[in-house]
């Protein structure tokens, strides 16, 4: 039982490049989330999904897109990376919106 | 989004001393969650408090929810080096999605 798995763990991008971060969970959770963590800013919600085929914007959605084609996977895309998107990205899932979140180990992204 | 203030931002303690972090909201909360993030790690769910005045204990950790459900605290008795990390409170948004909004965290350093 792996929980929440994020790939890749590290990535360096050049400004303007695109990439996709993958999140996979094996707990049959309905809810999935993408957060970014920056020093002194805590965790900020980028996008979330309340079920397969659904997505919605969080606090800081600009510059990101997401897809949830399968219940177990939640993809975060950066179409044209910017240095301001340098951050640690965490995916999380939960059984419902009343339960605690299970987080993945994170992706450290640097945009140069 | 839901605003929540967490203090202090940093705390250094000698091993064996107690530690407390506080989370304050200007609005009444439906519930509050606490997470711990070890250095270089990911947030791990500790507990959720729901009832006014609720107190829960996990070994040396004591969690309290204020009577007015506007504040909460996490107290660690006799800190150990294993307690090192950042402790976050998280509260639900007021919108239908009920997403979690995280405080900025309290970074605890334990000096052996």
């Amino acid at each position: 039982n792996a929980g929440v798995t994020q790939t890749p763990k590290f990535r360096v991008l050049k400004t303007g490049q695109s990439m996709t971060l993958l999140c996979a969970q094996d707990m049959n959770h309905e809810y999935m989330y993408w957060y970014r963590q920056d020093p002194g800013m805590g965790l900020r919600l980028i996008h979330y999904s309340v079920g397969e085929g659904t997505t919605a914007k969080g606090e800081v959605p600009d510059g990101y897109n997401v897809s949830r084609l399968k219940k177990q996977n939640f993809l975060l895309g950066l179409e044209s990376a910017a240095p301001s998107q340098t951050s640690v990205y965490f995916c999380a899932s939960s059984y419902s919106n009343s339960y605690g979140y299970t987080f993945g180990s994170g992706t450290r992204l640097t945009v140069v | 989004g839901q605003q929540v203030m967490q203090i202090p931002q940093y705390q250094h303690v000698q091993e064996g001393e107690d530690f407390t972090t506080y989370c304050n909201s200007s609005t009444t909360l439906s519930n509050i969650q606490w997470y711990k993030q070890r250095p270089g790690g990911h947030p791990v769910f500790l507990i959720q408090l729901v009832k006014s005045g609720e107190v829960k204990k996990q070994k040396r950790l004591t969690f309290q929810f204020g009577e007015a459900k506007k504040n909460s605290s996490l107290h660690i008795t006799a800190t150990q080096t294993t307690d090192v990390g950042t402790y976050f409170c998280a509260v639900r948004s007021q919108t239908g999605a009920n997403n979690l909004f995280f405080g900025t965290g309290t970074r605890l350093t334990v000096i052996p």
Side-chain angles (χ1 to χ4, degrees), chain B residues 19 26-27 32 56 60 104:
Chain B
F19 158 78
S26 57
T27 60
I32 192 165
K56 288 188 176 181
R60 295 179 293 103
T104 51

Side-chain angles (χ1 to χ4, degrees), chain A:
Chain A
N1 191 340
V4 178
T5 303
Q6 288 184 236
T7 54
K9 294 191 184 305
F10 303 93
R11 185 73 185 267
V12 178
L13 282 181
K14 293 183 179 180
T15 298
Q17 286 185 320
S18 63
M19 80 163 292
T20 300
L21 282 67
L22 173 63
C23 177
Q25 54 96 2
D26 61 2
M27 297 172 287
N28 202 34
H29 284 172
E30 289 291 339
Y31 293 71
M32 296 188 75
Y33 315 86
W34 276 106
Y35 283 86
R36 61 177 289 173
Q37 185 173 38
D38 303 293
M41 301 288 287
L43 291 137
R44 292 182 292 168
L45 182 64
I46 306 171
H47 285 281
Y48 65 97
S49 169
V50 300
E52 179 179 316
T54 75
T55 62
K57 295 180 179 180
E59 297 174 78
V60 289
D62 294 342
Y64 305 95
N65 56 75
V66 287
S67 65
R68 185 124 181 248
L69 300 179
K70 293 183 179 181
K71 185 176 183 179
Q72 62 266 35
N73 296 335
F74 195 27
L75 278 62
L76 178 70
L78 287 73
E79 290 186 349
S80 179
S84 61
Q85 294 178 305
T86 293
S87 187
V88 179
Y89 292 86
F90 287 103
C91 175
S93 71
S94 66
Y95 178 70
S96 78
N97 63 7
S98 300
Y99 283 70
Y101 291 5
T102 300
F103 281 83
S105 57
T107 295
R108 186 173 295 274
L109 175 66
T110 302
V111 183
V112 297

